[in-house]
Amino acid sequence: LIFCNENRVHHFTSQLSQSEGYAIIFKSSFLDHNYILLERLQLNRLFNYHIESPVLVPQNLIDEDMEKVVREMYNEMHLSKEKLKPEIVRSLLYVLLLKAERAKEEQVPQYTNSHWIELFHTFKNRLESGYRSTRNARDYAGQLNISYKLLNEIIKNFTNKTAKEFIDHLITMEIRRYLASTSLSIKEISYKIGFEEPSNLVKYFKKHTGSTPLKFRAMQ
């Protein structure tokens, strides 16, 4: 199982060109709508690349029978009658995610402070939704009601980067995503990322990648 975060461009190598499987695509609002059920669990391991690998190979795949759940979802989507279809598909997806989270916990040693996982998860979500407004790590520490020093310690624990370095990395990746997957101009990308002037984005991108945006796009 490969868990792909939203707003990311993914590429499968040629070795996987003959592979077969299922793609399950759902919006993050699915998790929001099921927040009451997920409040305790929050699926922090499945969709957080910085904490764990996005690839899950459950040792007990047969026992968990995840493939059966996926087949049931497929059949429900394509073969069943319309009555209660959305509710059944959502329920099956919820079960699949819970099984995957449990398999992930069994696969990976429990060495991480669970409270730090929640703080890191919240920080990353707030950064992804708020970086257009602020790229200041201290602002995010304030939103989490923790000190800047503690935020730095948490980020370093998971990524070996300071909070500022993590923010710069995420923004640089966002710029790369727009350059590689859209035909937007540098000015348009600057607006979407939150830079007031295109020249500021060019300087920022070159500082962190060693390349100008146009050179990077030309190599794609």
Side-chain angles (χ1 to χ4, degrees), residues 26-182:
F26 60 95
K27 297 181 179 180
S28 58
S29 58
F30 171 81
L31 301 181
D32 297 334
H33 293 160
N34 291 275
Y35 179 75
I36 295 178
L37 296 175
L38 294 173
E39 184 173 8
R40 183 180 65 84
L41 187 60
Q42 294 190 14
L43 301 178
N44 285 329
R45 294 182 178 277
L46 296 184
F47 295 97
N48 203 327
Y49 293 177
H50 300 283
I51 295 178
E52 316 218 355
S53 167
V55 179
L56 173 62
V57 184
Q59 299 300 317
N60 54 350
L61 183 60
I62 296 178
D63 294 337
E64 293 291 351
D65 210 6
M66 294 183 190
E67 187 176 353
K68 179 180 178 182
V69 176
V70 176
R71 287 199 303 268
E72 288 182 17
M73 291 178 62
Y74 181 89
N75 290 336
E76 188 66 35
M77 283 292 297
H78 296 277
L79 304 178
S80 70
K81 297 180 180 179
E82 291 295 326
K83 188 175 182 180
L84 298 178
K85 176 183 293 189
E87 289 77 9
I88 293 174
V89 171
R90 282 197 296 267
S91 297
L92 289 169
L93 175 57
Y94 178 69
V95 169
L96 179 68
L97 292 175
L98 291 180
K99 285 180 176 290
E101 178 77 10
R102 182 169 63 183
K104 173 70 77 172
E105 290 184 349
E106 293 174 353
Q107 177 176 305
V108 180
Q110 300 299 303
Y111 58 86
T112 306
N113 183 314
S114 60
H115 181 55
W116 279 24
I117 290 180
E118 293 179 8
L119 286 172
F120 180 81
H121 184 72
T122 302
F123 162 74
K124 188 169 71 70
N125 285 344
R126 294 198 177 192
L127 174 61
E128 288 175 347
S129 62
Y131 69 82
R132 296 170 184 84
S133 301
T134 178
R135 298 188 291 274
N136 191 324
R138 295 184 184 276
D139 291 341
Y140 294 101
Q143 293 177 25
L144 296 174
N145 295 316
I146 61 176
S147 68
Y148 174 71
K149 180 179 179 181
L150 178 57
L151 178 62
N152 255 331
E153 189 175 353
I154 293 172
I155 303 306
K156 283 185 178 179
N157 180 72
F158 293 122
T159 69
N160 290 321
K161 293 181 175 67
T162 66
K164 182 182 183 306
E165 289 171 342
F166 183 85
I167 292 172
D168 288 337
H169 175 74
L170 181 140
I171 293 172
T172 302
M173 291 300 295
E174 282 295 285
I175 298 173
R176 285 174 170 169
R177 180 172 71 86
Y178 280 116
L179 291 170
S181 62
T182 76

